[in-house]
Amino acid sequence: RTLIWQGITETLRPQPGSADGMLPPLLLLLTLVTGIVDAVAYLSLGHVFVANMTGNVVFLGFAAAGAAGLSVYGSLLAIACFLPGGIAAGRLAARREGSRFGNLRTATGLQVALVAAAIAVAALAGNHLGSTSRYTLIVLLALAMGVQNATARHLAVPDLTTTVLTLTLTGIAADSRLAGGSGAKTGRRLLAVGAMALGALVGALLLLNTAPVAPLALAGAILAVVCAASHRASRRERLPGR
């Protein structure tokens, strides 16, 4: 329990001079965003994911077998737009080499722009999304999440990929005391799982009780907070003596 609590504390409130600085709590906020936007995508955009590409690949297999209620075009479109988002993030990271917070600021700034466009589309469409609105939202959100996933990969903060939890859950089990491990990283991993679940819960509640624009607006606000916080951190990185 002490190790778990220590991991939680160090993730939420990193010690001054720690290797990753304030990146862990900021990446947890991005994990929250993932849950929110995938709730919107799955529940209102035709049973697709815009962040979890593994799910889309599996859905394509189901659809090929004749399963009903799945959007082949939606899943293909999400994958096709997720990849250019990753390419864009990779090019941005190459330009910001050496500045991790500068990289995060640039990437989340791009995400804010893409999600803002998605908010405008959702606001115009209201509660009843037509096919044009759905596909437009898939394009914008998949691009944004491709940027996020590639950026998190480049930052390489342990156990905080922001979009994928399979290895995180595997680590909780494989490194636990029951498996002969120390369980030292369990706290951070539990935070990542909890952030994703909380985002999905909040996103679904907002979607089911209001309209798609509400959870998207929340996601955009969180991204703006991360962008502003990373901007402040990048300025501190450039101060003399740092």
Side-chain angles (χ1 to χ4, degrees):
R1 292 182 180 178
T2 301
L3 284 175
I4 293 175
W5 182 248
Q6 181 180 348
I8 291 173
T9 303
E10 290 177 352
T11 300
L12 295 176
R13 298 181 63 184
Q15 295 295 318
S18 62
D20 296 315
M22 289 300 295
L23 284 175
L26 295 180
L27 292 181
L28 278 178
L29 288 176
L30 294 185
T31 307
L32 190 69
V33 169
T34 297
I36 294 171
V37 297
D38 261 347
V40 174
Y42 186 82
L43 296 175
S44 66
L45 301 183
H47 291 174
V48 301
F49 290 116
V50 291
N52 181 8
M53 292 300 114
T54 302
N56 286 324
V57 173
V58 172
F59 289 161
L60 289 174
F62 292 163
L70 299 172
S71 174
V72 173
Y73 294 122
S75 292
L76 288 173
L77 184 60
I79 294 171
C81 293
F82 185 88
L83 295 175
I87 292 171
R91 293 181 67 86
L92 290 173
R95 293 181 180 180
R96 302 294 308 183
E97 191 67 39
S99 176
R100 299 173 83 193
F101 287 104
N103 182 16
L104 183 59
R105 177 197 61 199
T106 304
T108 50
L110 178 56
Q111 282 187 272
V112 168
L114 290 167
V115 173
I119 292 169
V121 171
L124 290 173
N127 289 321
H128 305 289
L129 297 175
S131 59
T132 300
S133 297
R134 286 200 304 272
Y135 288 137
T136 302
L137 288 174
I138 289 172
V139 168
L140 293 169
L141 295 176
L143 282 169
M145 299 314 295
V147 170
Q148 178 176 306
N149 201 352
T151 301
R153 181 177 182 274
H154 181 78
L155 295 175
V157 178
D159 300 304
L160 292 174
T161 64
T162 78
T163 57
V164 181
L165 291 181
T166 302
L167 289 178
T168 304
L169 291 168
T170 301
I172 291 174
D175 296 337
S176 67
R177 291 186 182 276
L178 288 174
S182 66
K185 299 180 180 179
T186 301
R188 173 174 291 190
R189 290 165 175 166
L190 288 174
L191 281 175
V193 174
M196 184 84 74
L198 178 61
L201 172 63
V202 173
L205 287 173
L206 287 173
L207 179 67
L208 295 174
N209 291 284
T210 55
V213 68
L216 292 178
L218 176 59
I222 295 171
L223 287 169
V225 169
V226 174
C227 185
S230 56
H231 174 67
R232 291 183 60 185
S234 69
R235 293 184 64 182
R236 288 196 296 270
E237 279 184 326
R238 296 195 300 268
L239 290 177
R242 288 181 176 267

